[in-house]
Amino acid sequence: MTGLDLSILLKECRQNRLTAQKYLYESYADKMFLLCRRYLKNDSEAEEAVQNCFLQIFRNLHSFQYTNEAAFTGWIRKIMVNECLQYLRKKSLLLVPAEDNELALPLSEDIFSKLSADEIFRYITSLPTGYRTIFNLFIIEGYTHTEISILLGITEGTSKSQLNKARKLLQQTITQKQQYHAGKKSG
């Protein structure tokens, strides 16, 4: 979709044209579902979040000033992330334990080199909710620890600690799985 097309589409959505709203939804729903699914434990929760978010998007579209497609995508991603965080808070799933002072553990890039995108997605979604949320916010969404601490009502140190624990757990899980498969091949 070109910038001009999106600009026109958004104008038509603001005028409550159902075909435009349907087209906008269909253009972004799959990507936004995957975003929500990284935060939420199952498909039905993610689908519900996407539906709720698009209702918010259509209600608040009048307040969005279109500059380019990247800005629009960023705007809806922010709405999706906030909806997921609200859902986790409401269900009391976003309990992040207090910080402990561990040294930061780098996540080895080569550990992912042999994995498909689906495998990486499965590993991330298998993390405990607090770890997964902070991992997604920092690594994938690009939030800073300061922003995460404000969003989640935790300290920056807790955010850093939880990210470190998430990385460590991911690395252990992937390494164990790779060792298991290597053992099966040699056996």
Side-chain angles (χ1 to χ4, degrees):
M1 180 180 317
T2 67
L4 181 60
D5 293 341
L6 181 58
S7 175
I8 293 167
L9 181 63
L10 294 177
K11 182 178 179 181
E12 290 181 10
C13 287
R14 285 185 189 103
Q15 296 168 352
N16 292 319
R17 294 203 174 131
L18 294 179
T19 54
Q21 291 176 338
K22 182 179 181 205
Y23 185 79
L24 184 71
Y25 175 85
E26 289 172 350
S27 298
Y28 287 90
D30 289 344
K31 287 182 242 168
M32 295 303 123
F33 170 80
L34 291 174
L35 181 150
C36 291
R37 185 60 182 83
R38 282 197 323 266
Y39 288 90
L40 305 174
K41 210 56 169 159
N42 61 52
D43 289 355
S44 63
E45 291 173 347
E47 288 170 5
E48 185 177 336
V50 169
Q51 296 295 321
N52 291 339
C53 288
F54 271 97
L55 289 173
Q56 286 179 46
I57 289 164
F58 292 130
R59 268 194 299 260
N60 296 306
L61 201 51
H62 66 278
S63 67
F64 176 75
Q65 290 289 34
Y66 178 81
T67 53
N68 58 40
E69 187 171 356
F72 178 71
T73 302
W75 183 68
I76 65 173
R77 287 178 69 86
K78 187 174 183 177
I79 292 170
M80 296 288 168
V81 168
N82 286 329
E83 175 70 20
C84 292
L85 295 178
Q86 270 186 316
Y87 177 87
L88 293 172
R89 276 189 206 98
K90 187 168 44 171
K91 299 285 184 181
S92 298
L93 296 172
L94 194 56
L95 302 174
V96 179
E99 67 184 270
D100 59 7
N101 295 323
E102 292 184 29
L103 295 174
L105 175 73
L107 190 56
S108 172
E109 295 298 322
D110 63 319
I111 200 163
F112 292 112
S113 63
K114 296 176 185 167
L115 299 175
S116 70
D118 286 341
E119 289 171 313
I120 293 169
F121 176 80
R122 279 196 307 275
Y123 285 123
I124 291 171
T125 57
S126 73
L127 288 170
T129 304
Y131 293 179
R132 180 177 68 243
T133 301
I134 291 172
F135 184 89
N136 281 322
L137 289 171
F138 187 84
I139 300 292
I140 297 173
E141 301 300 328
Y143 283 81
T144 65
H145 287 295
T146 302
E147 293 167 326
I148 294 169
S149 70
I150 293 167
L151 272 173
L152 303 182
I154 59 175
T155 67
E156 285 184 51
T158 298
S159 177
K160 291 174 184 177
S161 173
Q162 295 300 298
L163 177 63
N164 187 48
K165 289 177 181 180
R167 286 176 164 166
K168 184 186 257 181
L169 185 56
L170 265 178
Q171 203 157 7
Q172 288 172 345
T173 305
I174 294 168
T175 301
Q176 287 171 351
K177 196 69 101 177
Q178 288 175 342
Q179 288 171 347
Y180 172 78
H181 287 299
K184 284 185 82 171
K185 288 179 183 176
S186 65

